[in-house]
Structure formats: structure tokens, C-alpha cells
Amino acid sequence: MQQVIIFDTTLRDGEQSPGASMNTQEKIQIATQLERLGVDIIEAGFAAASRGDFEAINQISKVVKNSTICSLSRAIESDITQAAKAIEPAAKKRIHTFIATSSIHMEYKLKMKPDEVIKRAVEAVEIARGFVDDVEFSCEDAGRSDIGFLKEISEAVIEAGAKTLNFPDTVGIKMPDEIKKMIKELKETIKDRAIISVHNHNDLGLAVANSLAAIEAGARQVECTINGLGERAGNAALEEIVMALKVRSDYFKGLYTKINTQEIYPTSRMIASITGIEPQPNKAIVGKNAFAHESGIHQDGVLKHKKTYEIFDPKEIGLNKDDTLILGKHSGRAAFRDKLKKLGFNLSEEELNEAFIKFKELADKKKEIYDDDIRALITNSIANVKEFYELVALQLMDSTGGVPSAAVTIKMPDDTKITDAGIGDGTIDAIFKTIDRITGHKGLLKDYKVKSVSQGKDALANVTVQVQFNENEPAVIGHGLSIDTMLASARAYLGALNSYLAMEGMFKNSKSKGI
Ligand code: KIV
Ligand code: ZN
């Protein structure tokens, strides 16, 4: 039997999905869950990109014990040093360094000759090996690179000490047969001197098919993300690759992963809840409809024998349909703690106490509390940093036929309370403008989403906003949760402002540094 190594890049490439940026607390929760899922390597970020990234990688390195923690770095000494410092506390660590190898990238982006690229790659691997044994080297845009050049640079970096060689289809242009041919040829050169890895983007919807084709050709590491998050159209979805290898073990003979598939669904839900990005309903494995049978013929078939239309039992990915209706008003702490554990959250005693109070408040208003309600409750409290401004009260004037207006009271950082009222083009606009006036921070609303968390007329509204507070810095995300949508909106907006203030100064460099 041969293992296929699962390299998860949800926290790095996945975070590059528009609107998916996460704070350190959120990343720690995800990393802990990825460890429970059994991923071999967690790419926790790109340490040199910002102070926020560095912090998150460093914290994750302190808590995760079983998975290797990896930081990305350009083939630049200062990046590699930052990566090494960030992962320093990790029990198992890897530095992942890369440089582009396609003519178009070398000529226009790097403005370097192929010989210079090889020299830089070798230097980078040598520097990284000075810090750690486990060094991965990536040929960015390998999918459009000359195969002869890929072989040449592979020889050089293996000689310099790289243990894993990654060949990304950075722009998602390859067909499965082409990837298979490329990996086969590289395998003939590389043999067993390094592990061959692939990293496929999904621009033509082929990222998973390409990853599986590469595995057939000899790749023994795949880089992937939960829910297929990632730059542009995303990366290959971890859950699809893993379940394809498992369900079709007759086809992928002798290959296995160390993934505990029962943790796939909880991990997918946690990430959707934290990022606010839901997988499309018909998404394979984890989409809302992946096990829904709509047609009468199908329903009849499934009732007679599940396998007529279901290729595997949803329980295999941890989706237990009977398990979702859970706690209520009378549930105690022990049941609540147990539920959190099942959902993959790892809270300190203090966080657990705070969450339990919130749960009880919710249970007073909402009769039935579902798994997704609990997830939203927890992810909202870890997403919103409360150090700066706190919403005390919100009062709305009836806008029917009149001017929409809002009165807002906010507890300021110095503990004083300020109340102000304002008007706007609609109630939400009035709320946000009044918050801007009280806090003195003017936000530009880039995105606003409202989603009902679970079912029922008393369902929680989960509002996600993306707000830019400084035109030279990226927009930040805020989440707000309440049975009242307007209250959830105010909380989300203030949450974004608090996150922005907590991260101020962490945006030093932008993440578009050549990736
Ligand atoms: O898509 C890509 O090429 C990457 C590399 C930096 C690994 O994300
Ligand atoms: Zn990528």
C-alpha cells in the first residue's frame, strides 16, 4: 500500500479566495480541526506577507502536534527567514519555497533568465535547509512550463536538498491526460529522490480530475483545500479527492490517505461558517443537495435500497442526518460541551463559559437549536474582537413612507457610552452611517450577505459584511448574528471595524507578492 500525502492549503491559498480572510483565532480553530481530520501537512499561511499571517502561523505551530506545519515563502532569503521563525515552535515543520518557471512568468513577472531562476531556486532551498530538513520546492506555473526546464530545475533543487517537488497548474489550464503525461515524464527523471506533488487550480473545473490523474501517474502528494476554496475559481477540493480515492479504491489500487473521512463534513461546515462562503448546493460530497433525492423515482429507489442512488453512506463523511436537531432551553453544560467537541471546536474554559451564556440567551428566544446555530454562535464570537467598540442599543424609526433612520448607542474604548441618530438611503445605510459618525471611522461597504442559519420563522440571521476602512488596505470581514436582521447587520459592521483595528499595522505588505 502507498500513501497519498494530503497537503491542505485552506489557510493559505484558500484564504486568497475573495472575502475569505480570517483572523488568528479563526485560523487556530480551523488548524485544530484539520489536525483532527488527519491532514498530513497544514500550509498555515505565508509568513512574510503580513504580521497577521506570521502571528497565525506561529500560534498554530504552538498548538498543532500531529500535522506538519508549513509556511510558504518566495525564493527570497528574508521570506525564508520569516517562514522559519514563524514555524519555529512546531513539532513537525516544513518550509515551502517557490519561484515561477514558465517563460511568460520568467520574462514578464520576474524579468529573469532561466539560469538565474535555477540559481535562485537552489539558493532558496539551501537557505531553507539551513533551518529545517523538510523543504518543499514549487515550480509556479509548471502547467505552462517547458518540461525540459522542469527536469533541469528539479535536478538542481533535489541536489540542493528539496524533499518534495511540487508542480502547480497555477492557472488551471491543463487537461487530465496532459497532467498525467507531465507527471509520468517527471517521475522518470525524479524517481524516488523526492516526493512528487501537484497543486491544481480549478479555472476549467478540472482541478480534482487533474489531481487524480497526477496520482495515477505517480504523484504522492496533493495540495488541496476544504470546499475547494482558493484563488479565483479555487483549488482542488480535499473532500472530493479523498472520497474518490476511498470510494473507488478498486480503481486506485493500493493507494490510501490518512484522512479520517468522518471529520470531512464537520470541517466543511466549520469553514463555511467562519468564511461565510457556502459550498454551492450541488457541490460534490459536502453540498446541501449532495444526498438529497428530489425525483419520485429516486426517492422510491433509495427507500428500497440506499445504494440505488447513493454511492456511499453520508455517515462516512460524518453527515448524520438524525443528529442535527439538538439542544434546547433545558440542555446543560455537559451536553453543550460535548456538542462543541463533535462540531470540532476546541475552546478554553473561559470561552466555553461565554459561549454557554450566549447559547442560553438564544435558547430563550429559539425553541429548537440546530448544529448550524451552534456553529454560527461560536464562529461569531471568535470572529468578532470586542476590544474596541461594543453595540449597546439599536433603535429604528419606522421607515414606511418616511426617511429611514437609526439611533445607535455604542460603548467606546474608554468605556463611555455615546448615542447618536442618523438617516440613510435605507435602514442599513442609516445604521452604518451612524456607527461611522460615532466611531469616527468611515467604512466603504464592499459586500453584504444575509443568510438564515437554520430553519423556522425564528431562524437566526447571519450577516456577513466586507468593509474597507482605508483605501490602501484590504477590506475586512465582520459577522453578526441575531434573530433580528438589523441588529445582526449592526453587529457585523461593528465586528468588521473591531477586526480592522485589531489588525491595524498587520497589513504592512500585500499578499499579492508574486503568488
Ligand atoms: O498556484 C500556485 O502556483 C501556488 C504556488 C505558490 C504553490 O499557489
Ligand atoms: Zn495556488
Side-chain angles (χ1 to χ4, degrees):
M1 293 288 274
Q2 279 191 33
Q3 187 193 351
V4 175
I5 296 166
I6 300 295
F7 177 113
D8 180 277
T9 183
T10 307
L11 295 174
R12 199 278 297 168
D13 216 322
E15 206 206 10
Q16 289 173 221
S17 299
S21 48
M22 300 164 235
N23 68 27
T24 302
Q25 281 315 311
E26 293 170 323
K27 287 184 182 175
I28 292 173
Q29 288 298 326
I30 292 176
T32 315
Q33 178 57 23
L34 289 172
E35 180 182 35
R36 191 186 306 208
L37 175 66
V39 309
D40 300 286
I41 295 132
I42 298 174
E43 186 163 58
F46 174 19
S50 68
R51 244 181 59 211
D53 257 45
F54 182 95
E55 246 326 280
I57 300 168
N58 193 249
Q59 295 293 330
I60 289 169
S61 300
K62 290 177 187 159
V63 285
V64 170
K65 298 283 171 254
N66 299 321
S67 310
T68 297
I69 304 302
C70 167
S71 169
L72 183 67
S73 66
R74 292 172 301 179
I76 294 176
E77 184 166 6
S78 56
D79 269 32
I80 299 167
T81 312
Q82 285 295 94
K85 276 192 195 148
I87 60 171
E88 211 277 318
K92 296 190 235 170
K93 41 194 159 221
R94 169 181 293 193
I95 294 177
H96 176 194
T97 186
F98 75 98
I99 193 162
T101 50
S102 63
S103 308
I104 183 169
H105 277 235
M106 291 193 285
E107 186 177 343
Y108 295 100
K109 189 181 81 173
L110 299 174
K111 301 192 190 326
M112 285 168 79
K113 298 263 177 282
D115 282 356
E116 293 171 305
V117 168
I118 295 187
K119 188 164 171 280
R120 177 80 77 75
V122 167
E123 281 165 8
V125 170
E126 284 173 352
I127 296 168
R129 279 298 307 264
F131 293 108
V132 291
D133 281 343
D134 187 353
V135 173
E136 170 172 338
F137 174 76
S138 278
C139 303
E140 192 195 8
D141 205 16
R144 291 188 297 177
S145 301
D146 175 71
I147 187 83
F149 186 57
L150 289 179
K151 287 181 189 172
E152 201 182 331
I153 200 164
S154 296
E155 286 293 344
V157 294
I158 289 172
E159 181 73 14
K163 301 268 174 75
T164 301
L165 262 55
N166 183 38
F167 299 96
D169 182 18
T170 303
V171 294
I173 197 166
K174 298 297 259 191
M175 294 292 128
D177 271 354
E178 291 173 325
I179 291 265
K180 203 184 251 182
K181 188 164 171 279
M182 177 177 93
I183 298 298
K184 244 189 191 143
E185 222 177 308
L186 288 166
K187 177 82 186 162
E188 276 160 22
T189 303
I190 294 169
K191 301 199 169 65
D192 290 330
R193 291 180 295 154
I195 293 166
I196 295 181
S197 166
V198 285
H199 171 116
N200 293 309
H201 277 272
N202 204 30
D203 300 66
L204 293 173
L206 292 168
V208 170
N210 284 343
S211 303
L212 295 171
I215 290 170
E216 280 192 86
R220 287 296 172 267
Q221 175 179 287
V222 277
E223 302 196 352
C224 44
T225 58
I226 302 292
N227 298 345
L229 285 181
E231 186 83 28
R232 304 184 310 279
N235 288 62
L238 179 150
E239 60 277 10
E240 294 179 26
I241 297 174
V242 168
M243 289 314 288
L245 291 173
K246 187 171 184 201
V247 174
R248 293 303 312 274
S249 57
D250 59 321
Y251 181 86
F252 295 100
K253 276 198 183 70
L255 296 177
Y256 72 98
T257 72
K258 286 194 177 157
I259 295 295
N260 172 5
T261 61
Q262 300 210 347
E263 292 294 337
I264 285 180
Y265 190 72
T267 313
S268 164
R269 293 311 306 148
M270 178 190 279
I271 281 157
S273 185
I274 286 178
T275 60
I277 302 173
E278 277 295 323
Q280 70 200 53
N282 58 333
K283 160 96 178 56
I285 318 291
V286 292
K288 194 163 122 264
N289 298 344
F291 298 96
H293 304 283
E294 185 69 18
S295 115
I297 296 172
H298 287 212
Q299 285 171 352
D300 180 54
V302 168
L303 285 173
K304 287 175 177 150
H305 195 301
K306 276 195 162 207
K307 288 226 156 148
T308 50
Y309 290 101
E310 267 179 19
I311 59 169
F312 63 89
D313 187 335
K315 286 189 182 127
E316 275 190 55
I317 58 157
L319 171 57
N320 192 345
K321 290 178 190 164
D322 318 324
D323 208 26
T324 52
L325 176 63
I326 46 142
L327 310 173
K329 212 176 153 110
H330 303 293
S331 308
R333 268 175 70 93
F336 183 67
R337 184 201 295 267
D338 188 54
K339 191 70 198 178
L340 289 185
K341 227 171 152 189
K342 270 198 193 139
L343 297 181
F345 292 103
N346 197 3
L347 301 188
S348 67
E349 207 51 34
E350 194 187 332
E351 288 165 331
L352 182 88
N353 289 343
E354 218 179 285
F356 189 62
I357 294 169
K358 286 197 176 135
F359 161 71
K360 282 288 179 186
E361 281 167 10
L362 179 63
D364 273 340
K365 297 187 192 124
K366 197 172 186 298
K367 228 170 87 206
E368 291 167 332
I369 297 183
Y370 296 83
D371 283 3
D372 274 347
D373 291 320
I374 303 282
R375 275 189 197 99
L377 205 71
I378 304 301
T379 53
N380 263 268
S381 56
I382 53 177
N384 291 334
V385 197
K386 282 172 232 83
E387 289 147 39
F388 301 95
Y389 299 100
E390 206 178 307
L391 185 71
V392 177
L394 172 70
Q395 211 180 345
L396 304 170
M397 318 310 162
D398 183 7
S399 66
T400 324
V403 182
S405 53
V408 182
T409 305
I410 289 176
K411 187 158 138 212
M412 307 295 280
D414 63 1
D415 276 355
T416 56
K417 285 183 191 158
I418 296 187
T419 301
D420 201 349
I423 56 169
D425 302 327
T427 312
I428 289 176
D429 190 43
I431 297 171
F432 293 175
K433 278 186 177 145
T434 310
I435 294 178
D436 281 354
R437 228 182 24 235
I438 297 176
T439 60
H441 292 276
K442 198 166 166 19
L444 179 65
L445 186 67
K446 295 280 206 179
D447 194 22
Y448 174 94
K449 272 194 287 237
V450 59
K451 185 179 151 267
S452 130
V453 176
S454 56
Q455 56 264 58
K457 283 188 193 135
D458 60 354
L460 280 168
N462 196 353
V463 173
T464 306
V465 293
Q466 215 186 330
V467 191
Q468 192 174 25
F469 289 98
N470 180 328
E471 63 177 351
N472 299 317
E473 291 172 346
V476 285
I477 309 265
H479 300 279
L481 191 69
S482 172
I483 285 175
D484 182 307
T485 310
M486 294 303 136
L487 196 54
S489 305
R491 284 181 180 156
Y493 192 81
L494 218 46
L497 176 58
N498 283 332
S499 285
Y500 167 72
L501 294 172
M503 285 194 268
E504 230 183 352
M506 289 194 181
F507 295 119
K508 211 169 45 113
N509 304 308
S510 108
K511 280 201 185 153
S512 56
K513 293 164 117 188
I515 302 190

